[in-house]
Amino acid sequence: MTSPHTSVALVQMRCGGSTQRNIDSAVERIAAAATQGADVVCLQELFASTYPCQEEDIRRFDDAEPIPGPTSQRIAEAAREHEVVVVGSFFERRAKGLYHNTAVVFERDGSCLGMYRKMHIPDDPNYYEKFYFAPGDLGFRSFQTSAGCIGVCICWDQWFPEAARLTALQGADIIFYPSAIGWSPQEKQEFGETQWSAWETVMRGHAIANGVYVAAVNRVGVEQQIEFWGASFVADPNGQITGRAAHDQEQTLIIPCDFKQVDVVRTHWPFLRDRRIDAYGQLSQRFIDPTADATDARK
Amino acid sequence: MTSPHTSVALVQMRCGGSTQRNIDSAVERIAAAATQGADVVCLQELFASTYPCQEEDIRRFDDAEPIPGPTSQRIAEAAREHEVVVVGSFFERRAKGLYHNTAVVFERDGSCLGMYRKMHIPDDPNYYEKFYFAPGDLGFRSFQTSAGCIGVCICWDQWFPEAARLTALQGADIIFYPSAIGWSPQEKQEFGETQWSAWETVMRGHAIANGVYVAAVNRVGVEQQIEFWGASFVADPNGQITGRAAHDQEQTLIIPCDFKQVDVVRTHWPFLRDRRIDAYGQLSQRFIDPTADATDARK
């Protein structure tokens, strides 16, 4: 008898300077998760290396590989060997001088179901991603897998309700967010709790607003100026946390998800029924001219 | 010296069968809040009566009034007398047989700055609003007032990130949500905590995603099949709760808000800078054809 649950594994790792060791560690964790019954394993953002964007260093482009390439093929092989769906995250070299922050979904037979290129690119102190990554040009995506319909967004995307909505509208039962976010040591004491709480809360909000599962997979450990805050988690379609990893330890979180709940929750809270799709056009604007509006409002 | 804070009052009331008494109570609470220094007072959804939508009863249309009408004029007068900005919520009779669920923003001099007609209309057991209210046709709005730029959405709107985003993009420093939501007695034990938590969490998410204050103003008391859950609250632009009323008591929550924090938080978390406005067009679709997408994803 088939279990009604899909078992989802979130691999929260510490990364070091040896790419080989990081990849070996990820592959071992995929194997271990599959042994424990995982149907889908999601790796953290750019799991093959330390987070490359803490400074604008042209040498870090050497980390990038084409897709398919050696690292993605190694992960595809792990998916095939352990018969598990895998979401991997890679520093993609697309062409000479053109790079993306890219996730790939592999089926249990190791085949590539498709890729997602990070759409929202941050640029903040210690997260200089606009230097490294061209904005994604594949749009927001969901992938039909043997373990359910899986959406993938990446890290900074998690702050944008538009990304979650467009992914959910393509049928995703769960949205994975491979991530690399942490505290600045000099801010942690004063702002750390608030920052981490906002991160988790905004994604719980996406789960609720869309009636989907959400899974964020973050790294741990201190690398240069960032203390990655871990706390990988799964939220159910009501926004309830069903599992959360530690802030400071490597951990593979294995959480059962019942994708039939997406249907149940959405039928009870039918937000998709009531969206005012006739009135959302201005979401494609950067800002809505306040002067024009104020005049109108005073009519 | 001007205080850097805007003092916001959320009037959480119990309503009874006497419209006169409900309106008198709202006016008294506006006066009391102004005495305590409130700059803006927001009333709960349809404060003038018990919640009219628990059944489809044609007689409840008698509750409706044009705007301006006696009830809205009474509130305008309270705004003028107490020199306070007021957000009121009314059952609007727009034309013969045409009704809306409408909020009005009054300036300190009693003038009407504009109205917002509820865009997302629910229809669920005990919330048969589609029977009563035509969907709003004024779009999402913010209003420039002497106490800051104020956005108003209404109850069911609170579950839709699009509503919060479009309101924030018009410059709102705070989004008010006059509300009427509660528990079904037969569901409360099993689902009550989860339902209320989802309600608060999704709005905290809007605060975070948009870097704005959010204020939800809900009613209390048992009316027929609904136990309104109160818990009116203010969340700051980091999504932190800065004040929350009781679940079961009438209460005017007066909370200082520093609208300069909208600028500070957005500058540190520059989501508005990075929105992919070139890629949001499909938000105007009800759903995105999964067959077409799956084909594409396998290329």
Side-chain angles (χ1 to χ4, degrees), chain A residues 129-293:
Chain A
E129 295 199 17
K130 290 194 198 295
F131 175 74
Y132 292 96
F133 308 123
D137 59 350
L138 297 174
F140 302 94
R141 322 198 75 170
S142 292
F143 304 93
Q144 203 57 248
T145 80
S146 60
C149 189
I150 286 177
V152 184
C153 293
I154 302 174
C155 205
W156 192 237
D157 291 323
Q158 61 214 171
W159 301 98
F160 298 83
E162 293 92 343
R165 180 70 96 198
L166 287 166
T167 303
L169 288 182
Q170 291 175 62
D173 292 317
I174 184 167
I175 305 175
F176 286 100
Y177 290 94
S179 299
I181 188 169
W183 293 298
S184 296
Q186 70 272 24
E187 292 180 358
K188 184 179 175 185
Q189 172 92 25
E190 190 176 356
F191 302 112
E193 179 73 21
T194 298
Q195 292 170 343
W196 163 67
S197 165
W199 177 78
E200 185 178 274
T201 301
V202 79
M203 284 185 276
R204 290 176 60 204
H206 302 331
I208 296 162
N210 294 287
V212 291
Y213 284 87
V214 161
V217 188
N218 192 29
R219 67 174 65 203
V220 285
V222 176
E223 301 176 14
Q224 298 172 262
Q225 298 307 307
I226 305 179
E227 179 186 342
F228 292 96
W229 67 45
S232 300
F233 70 90
V234 174
D236 73 14
N238 286 310
Q240 298 282 304
I241 300 291
T242 57
R244 185 193 292 122
H247 278 303
D248 55 1
Q249 287 171 43
E250 297 191 297
Q251 198 172 338
T252 298
L253 204 61
I254 301 187
I255 306 289
C257 301
D258 179 1
F259 290 161
K260 286 197 304 299
Q261 283 300 308
V262 172
D263 198 17
V264 171
V265 170
R266 281 189 188 162
T267 304
H268 281 77
W269 272 340
F271 308 138
L272 297 191
R273 179 193 70 188
D274 288 340
R275 294 177 65 241
R276 286 295 303 273
I277 56 173
D278 60 312
Y280 294 161
Q282 288 184 309
L283 290 169
S284 295
Q285 293 188 27
R286 180 69 60 207
F287 201 68
I288 301 169
D289 185 344
T291 317
D293 184 67

Side-chain angles (χ1 to χ4, degrees), chain B residues 10-13 42 44 177 179 196 199-200 215-220 229-235 241 243-247 249 251-253 255:
Chain B
L10 290 65
V11 176
Q12 171 173 303
M13 287 169 40
C42 182
Q44 70 201 27
Y177 290 94
S179 299
W196 163 66
W199 176 79
E200 185 177 275
V217 188
N218 192 28
R219 68 174 64 201
V220 285
W229 67 43
S232 299
F233 69 90
V234 174
I241 299 291
R244 185 194 292 121
H247 278 303
Q249 285 172 44
Q251 197 171 337
T252 298
L253 204 61
I255 306 290

